[in-house]
Amino acid sequence: MKHFSIGSIVHKAIKHLVVVACGIYCALITAAIASEAERPNVLLIITDDQSIDTIHALGNDAIHTPNIDRLAETGMAFTHVFNQGSWSGAVCAPSRQMINTGRNLHLTGFSPKSNKTSHPLMGETFRKSGYETFVTGKWHVGDDALKRSFDIGRAVHEGGMAPISKGGQWQPWLTDFGEKIKWKKEQKNQHTSEAFADAAIDYIKGKEARNDKPFLMYVAFTAPHDPRQSPQSYVDKYPAESISLPPNFRPMPEIDSGDYNIRDEALMTFPRTEQQTKEFIGEYYAMVEHMDHQIGRILDTLDASPYAKNTYIIFTSDHGLAVGKHGLAGKQSVYDHSIRAPFIMVGKGIPQNARAKGMFYLNSIFATTAELAGIEVPDSVQGPSVLPIINGEKDVMNDYIYGSYRHFQRMARSHRYKLVYYPLLKKNVLFDLKNDPWEMTDISTQPGSDKIIEQLTAELDLLKVEVGDPLTNDDPANSYQPFTGKIRASFQKDAIGQPQVLNVH
C-alpha cells in the first residue's frame, strides 16, 4: 500500500526548471515553503540507540542537552515517530536500510542473506540530482550502498558498533574516501563523537572553496550505543545516587518472548538491580550529553557559514533503548521506549518551537528531504513525505502503527491502545496508552477488551501486508524465513530469580 501526500503528487507533475545561461538549477519547493533560485542543503543527524526521553527540552529535567534543545526550540519536534522493528538482533541495520531506501521493513531488498539492494538510495538520488553528498559516522548499510550514495566520506564507521576489542569509542577504525582519497581505513586515537563532529565541521568549512553545489550531509553518531565511553567529566555529572529509576523499572522481564539472552541484554545481570540500572542510565546520559556538545560544534559551524539560512536539519535516531525499563537493557522489543525515536526538523518554513504527534515511520526521511530539495521522489519509496503535517494539512500521517521484532513479537497501535502479540506464545497483551503511558498494566482480560483486540488484530493483518511481513501465526518460525536468522535459547526465572534456559526453538 503506497501513501502519497498532496505535495509529493504536485512535485511529480512539475518538471524541474533549468536556466542554462546561469547554470542554476531551480526547484519548486512545496507551497508552504518559499521558492528559491538556490536549492536548499540538507543536514541529517542520526544518533544510535537514543531513547525518546533523553532530551531536556522534551521533558527530561535530569539530562543536559542544550544543543538538541536548541534544535527543538527553533524547529518542530515530533513525539511519535517509529522504527518499524527488525528482522535482526542488530535493530540498527534494518532501521538504516529503511531510512536510506524509504521502504518498509521487509521490502528494502536487504536481508540476513543480502547486503545489497537494487532500490534507489537516498544519497544516490540526491547525488544524481546534482547534490554533493557527504557521510561521516556510522553507516551499517553495506559497502555497495555506501559507494553508490556518497561523493565524500570522512571518518566513516562502516560496522554496527565500536566494540572494546576493536578500540571501542576511543580508538575506532574509520574510513576516508573521495576528494582525492581512494579508500583509506585506519585506527584513530579520538572519541567517535569528536571524530565525526570534526569531519562534519571540516566539510562545511571546505565546501565553498570546492564547488557551489548544494549538499546532503549524513552525520551518524555511534553514541549513545555501547560501549558507553565518554570523558570522565561527563560521567561525573551523572552519579548513580542522582539517578531516578523509571516507573516501569523491573528486575526481570514480565514476559519471556524468546530472545532475552541476546548481546544487548547480557550487558546487565539478571535480575537487574537498582544500583546497576542507575549506573547504566548515568553512563547513557553522560554519552548523550558528550554527543550533544559535538552536535553543538557542528551547528555553530553551520551558523557561521554561508549555508546557515538555506539548510534544513533533521535530527533523529535509528530507534530507542530500554536502559532498565521492563527488565530490559536493549532495543529488541516493541515497547515505546525501544520502537520510538526522537525526531526534530529545522529550517525555512518549518514552525519554531512547535510540537506534533506525527505517527509516522523513520522511512519518511527520504521522501521528506527529497521534497524539501525539489527532487522527484523515486516510485520505489514507500514512506510518504511528512510535509503535510508541517504545512498544517494533516495532524498525523497514520492512525495505526506497525511494529515487530523477528518472529518473536508483533505490534499494532492506535492513538490510544497498543496490542502486542507474541507468535510463539500465542499470547496477546493490550495496553491503554492514555491511562498507562509506561505500559505497565495488561488489560487484555478486562471486560470490553476483546473487541479492541479484535479490531487491532485486524489492523495488524493489514499492516503486515503493507510492510511485507511474511510471518504467519500458525507457523511463525518457519514462515519467517529467510528473515529468521539464528534462533536463540529462551530464558525464564528459576525459583531464586536467576535466568535459566527455557527452550530452544
Side-chain angles (χ1 to χ4, degrees):
M1 183 182 300
K2 183 156 183 164
H3 303 281
F4 294 94
S5 69
I6 294 174
S8 65
I9 293 173
V10 171
H11 280 294
K12 288 190 176 184
I14 301 175
K15 294 183 178 180
H16 296 151
L17 302 177
V18 180
V19 182
V20 178
C22 299
I24 299 174
Y25 179 104
C26 298
L28 292 177
I29 307 303
T30 183
I33 297 176
S35 296
E36 295 180 320
E38 185 181 357
R39 288 179 293 171
N41 307 296
V42 177
L43 168 59
L44 174 60
I45 301 174
I46 304 177
T47 67
D48 197 357
D49 281 14
Q50 187 174 1
S51 175
I52 184 69
D53 62 358
T54 57
I55 299 172
H56 182 90
L58 300 183
N60 188 343
D61 293 335
I63 194 169
H64 188 60
T65 54
N67 296 293
I68 302 174
D69 293 355
R70 172 174 158 193
L71 293 174
E73 290 160 2
T74 56
M76 176 175 278
F78 298 85
T79 60
H80 288 71
V81 179
F82 298 86
N83 170 36
Q84 288 182 356
S86 179
W87 40 257
S88 165
V91 182
C92 47
S95 176
R96 290 160 200 270
Q97 291 157 3
M98 284 183 276
I99 289 171
N100 281 279
T101 61
R103 292 179 64 78
N104 294 322
L105 178 59
H106 301 94
L107 301 172
T108 63
F110 295 96
S111 75
K113 296 181 179 180
S114 174
N115 206 25
K116 294 183 179 181
T117 183
S118 61
H119 297 300
L121 300 159
M122 179 171 61
E124 178 182 33
T125 300
F126 271 76
R127 193 177 183 182
K128 289 181 177 179
S129 299
Y131 273 67
E132 181 174 84
T133 56
F134 168 83
V135 61
T136 186
K138 178 170 175 173
W139 179 236
H140 210 196
V141 190
D143 285 351
D144 178 70
L146 179 63
K147 293 172 182 176
R148 285 166 54 190
S149 297
F150 301 103
D151 296 300
I152 301 172
R154 293 290 184 269
V156 178
H157 184 78
E158 298 176 68
M161 58 178 289
I164 296 291
S165 62
K166 293 185 179 180
Q169 303 288 357
W170 287 107
Q171 294 181 307
W173 284 90
L174 304 176
T175 300
D176 294 342
F177 65 87
E179 226 323 71
K180 301 179 182 178
I181 298 176
K182 288 185 177 180
W183 197 267
K184 181 177 68 174
K185 186 173 184 177
E186 61 182 8
Q187 192 170 24
K188 298 193 177 183
N189 292 309
Q190 187 180 24
H191 193 283
T192 55
S193 293
E194 296 168 9
F196 304 152
D198 282 356
I201 288 168
D202 288 346
Y203 175 78
I204 294 170
K205 288 182 174 180
K207 175 66 174 64
E208 188 176 19
R210 187 168 50 256
N211 58 54
D212 58 0
K213 291 182 177 181
F215 62 74
L216 168 68
M217 292 181 65
Y218 186 102
V219 180
F221 289 88
T222 52
H225 195 295
D226 67 276
R228 302 222 161 82
Q229 299 171 316
S230 55
Q232 190 63 42
S233 59
Y234 287 88
V235 178
D236 291 342
K237 293 183 180 182
Y238 300 98
E241 57 269 22
S242 72
I243 301 297
S244 298
L245 290 172
N248 52 0
F249 164 77
R250 294 289 183 271
M252 292 291 293
E254 295 95 330
I255 295 176
D256 174 14
S257 69
D259 209 20
Y260 290 158
N261 66 328
I262 198 166
R263 191 203 66 84
D264 285 40
E265 298 306 326
L267 295 174
M268 300 172 68
T269 61
F270 282 108
R272 319 306 195 185
T273 68
E274 292 190 7
Q275 178 67 20
Q276 180 189 51
T277 302
K278 288 181 177 182
E279 291 172 356
F280 196 69
I281 295 172
E283 292 171 354
Y284 186 59
Y285 284 2
M287 203 170 183
V288 170
E289 184 178 341
H290 177 239
M291 177 187 66
D292 177 89
H293 180 70
Q294 309 312 315
I295 291 172
R297 293 176 57 221
I298 298 172
L299 298 180
D300 288 344
T301 304
L302 181 63
D303 285 346
S305 77
Y307 313 110
K309 295 182 179 180
N310 194 33
T311 299
Y312 287 102
I313 303 171
I314 294 181
F315 169 85
T316 190
S317 191
D318 48 7
H319 45 69
L321 200 70
V323 203
K325 302 179 183 75
H326 291 105
L328 301 172
K331 58 266 187 178
Q332 294 81 9
S333 78
V334 294
Y335 289 115
D336 267 20
H337 52 63
S338 295
I339 207 164
R340 279 168 64 192
F343 198 96
I344 304 171
M345 291 183 63
V346 178
K348 188 172 183 178
I350 297 175
Q352 295 193 17
N353 201 24
R355 304 292 179 263
K357 190 169 185 178
M359 289 291 279
F360 59 86
Y361 304 110
L362 290 169
N363 64 4
S364 281
I365 290 174
F366 191 157
T368 302
T369 54
E371 189 170 0
L372 286 170
I375 294 172
E376 185 174 0
V377 180
D379 291 338
S380 61
V381 172
Q382 297 172 315
S385 166
V386 302
L387 293 192
I389 298 179
I390 292 171
N391 296 338
E393 300 166 22
K394 287 187 176 184
D395 294 324
V396 296
M397 297 303 298
N398 297 286
D399 288 322
Y400 296 94
I401 293 290
Y402 163 93
S404 68
Y405 175 61
R406 299 180 68 208
H407 56 295
F408 296 114
Q409 303 167 46
R410 290 295 180 273
M411 177 202 86
R413 63 167 289 162
S414 63
H415 294 282
R416 177 167 180 175
Y417 296 102
K418 174 188 282 190
L419 172 70
V420 181
Y421 178 65
Y422 296 91
L424 296 179
L425 304 178
K426 308 294 184 186
K427 179 179 178 62
N428 284 315
V429 172
L430 184 65
F431 297 112
D432 179 349
L433 300 172
K434 179 180 178 180
N435 297 307
D436 179 26
W438 292 95
E439 300 172 285
M440 298 171 66
T441 304
D442 175 17
I443 63 167
S444 62
T445 59
Q446 293 184 7
S449 290
D450 54 340
K451 293 183 178 179
I452 300 171
I453 292 173
E454 182 180 355
Q455 179 193 5
L456 287 176
T457 298
E459 292 294 339
L460 178 57
D461 288 340
L462 294 174
L463 291 168
K464 284 170 65 178
V465 173
E466 182 175 347
V467 304
D469 189 342
L471 184 140
T472 60
N473 293 337
D474 57 345
D475 190 8
N478 287 326
S479 66
Y480 203 56
Q481 295 293 348
F483 294 100
T484 299
K486 180 181 178 182
I487 302 177
R488 299 174 174 86
S490 296
F491 280 81
Q492 67 177 9
K493 290 186 292 184
D494 62 17
I496 60 172
Q498 295 297 315
Q500 64 176 4
V501 175
L502 175 64
N503 54 56
V504 178
H505 303 292

